[in-house]
Amino acid sequence: QVQLVEFGGGLVQAGGSLRLSCVASGRIFSLNVMGWYRQAPGKQRELVASSTPGGGTQYADSVKGRSAISLDSTLNTVSLQMNSLKPEDTAVYYCNAEVQELLGPFHATEYWGNGTQITVSS
């Protein structure tokens, strides 16, 4: 079993910054990808940013240029720095990780954190 523990989030004024962090622990052999999704009420969950151990990154168009994701595959930790926050960024943010587990199946398994709220006031 793998657990994802999320840190950060909270209430911030528009134009402010927040940093989200997520630590994956448990039976992890290797990490394929780790990132953050978000879901606003009444909307589908969407990818915010993700990163691979090889240095590949992916960002949603809405956060490009004002967000930065960093992955430490040794510590199985991902952080998302979000600057110039907008009210549209208000959502529950979920950490996501795709891992190959120790003594696990031959295929990768996807895990989710419980979510942390980011609220951006206008």
Side-chain angles (χ1 to χ4, degrees):
Q1 184 67 32
V2 173
Q3 298 83 38
L4 304 181
V5 180
E6 300 152 327
F7 303 90
L11 176 64
V12 64
Q13 293 184 357
S17 299
L18 283 174
R19 186 175 183 86
L20 300 176
S21 296
C22 177
V23 181
S25 62
R27 292 184 164 211
I28 302 174
F29 174 74
S30 62
L31 182 69
N32 293 338
V33 63
M34 203 168 182
W36 288 91
Y37 289 70
R38 68 185 179 188
Q39 187 170 24
K43 297 183 179 180
Q44 290 186 328
R45 187 172 299 186
E46 64 174 352
L47 174 69
V48 181
S50 64
S51 182
T52 63
T57 59
Q58 184 174 347
Y59 294 92
D61 290 338
S62 59
V63 303
K64 286 181 179 178
R66 59 188 183 92
S67 298
I69 191 166
S70 61
L71 173 65
D72 188 334
S73 58
T74 301
L75 300 177
N76 297 319
T77 300
V78 67
S79 295
L80 178 65
Q81 177 71 36
M82 301 190 69
N83 303 317
S84 301
L85 285 164
K86 307 173 181 179
E88 305 94 275
D89 295 318
T90 297
V92 177
Y93 286 70
Y94 296 90
C95 181
N96 172 263
E98 183 181 290
V99 303
Q100 184 70 47
E101 297 183 60
L102 289 168
L103 302 178
F106 55 84
H107 57 83
T109 304
E110 191 174 46
Y111 289 90
W112 294 90
N114 291 326
T116 183
Q117 177 74 43
I118 289 181
T119 301
V120 183
S121 61
S122 59

